[in-house]
Amino acid sequence: MISTTIDQEIKKAMLAKNNAQLRGLRAIKAALLLAKTEKGSSEEITEEAELKILQKLIKQRRESADIYRQQNREDLFQVEEEEIEVINQFLPKQLDRTEVAAIIETVIKQSGATSVKDMGKVMGMANKELAGKADGKLIAEIVKEKLA
């Protein structure tokens, strides 16, 4: 579970006085605690749910970083980039475009999809197959290309 690892990493970052690492780890811990309390105190969140939370955190930070870059706020942009780097440490290795495309080809063959009308079915299967390994935007883009 990611949450137990996070606690240990927070202690290490505090001892090392690594503020960038500590900021990213605290953001992860806060998001995980929030998700745990939303579901109810008796339920433990699954590893799959943890991965989704981490992907959401990265997406939020990328969007913020883009805005900061457009506004020439290099100081704030750097903070977001540092946090993205920390959060990425806890995600599985992200697949590149060619690997994702190959997996989507297989999913399309398995589902028997022939046109863009079948995109929903293909997306569901592809998201399940690529959970935590690829960005949803990239998956949708490739599925659209393959079915067009």
Side-chain angles (χ1 to χ4, degrees), residues 2-145:
I2 294 172
S3 49
T4 54
T5 310
I6 295 294
D7 290 336
Q8 295 164 355
E9 291 296 319
I10 285 176
K11 289 176 190 171
K12 287 180 192 174
M14 286 173 123
L15 290 172
K17 295 185 178 8
N18 184 342
N19 288 332
Q21 180 87 1
L22 192 56
R23 213 177 28 249
L25 292 168
R26 284 182 172 158
I28 295 170
K29 183 171 181 161
L32 292 174
L33 282 172
L34 186 64
K36 190 175 182 180
T37 55
E38 280 177 359
K39 288 187 171 190
S41 59
S42 63
E43 285 189 40
E44 193 68 32
I45 50 178
T46 64
E47 198 163 339
E48 186 178 310
E50 287 178 335
L51 290 176
K52 283 184 180 180
I53 291 168
L54 293 181
Q55 285 178 318
K56 182 179 177 186
L57 290 174
I58 287 180
K59 182 180 179 190
Q60 289 171 341
R61 276 156 185 76
R62 281 200 177 118
E63 289 170 354
S64 296
D66 289 343
I67 292 169
Y68 293 144
R69 170 135 297 157
Q70 289 169 3
Q71 296 175 348
N72 294 324
R73 292 296 310 264
E74 201 60 38
D75 54 333
L76 296 174
F77 171 78
Q78 193 60 41
V79 168
E80 297 297 329
E81 286 296 313
E82 289 169 352
E83 289 184 18
I84 288 171
E85 203 173 293
V86 171
I87 297 167
N88 266 329
Q89 296 171 4
F90 298 95
L91 283 172
K93 180 189 167 288
Q94 297 292 297
L95 300 175
D96 65 15
R97 188 176 180 86
T98 54
E99 293 170 320
V100 173
I103 292 171
I104 290 175
E105 284 279 342
T106 309
V107 169
I108 290 172
K109 287 176 186 167
Q110 288 173 352
S111 69
T114 55
S115 69
V116 181
K117 291 179 184 176
D118 300 320
M119 187 169 172
K121 180 167 61 169
V122 174
M123 282 298 296
M125 292 172 69
N127 281 331
K128 201 174 283 185
E129 185 81 26
L130 295 165
K133 298 176 190 168
D135 182 44
K137 192 185 284 185
L138 176 65
I139 295 170
E141 184 180 306
I142 294 173
V143 168
K144 218 179 263 185
E145 286 174 12

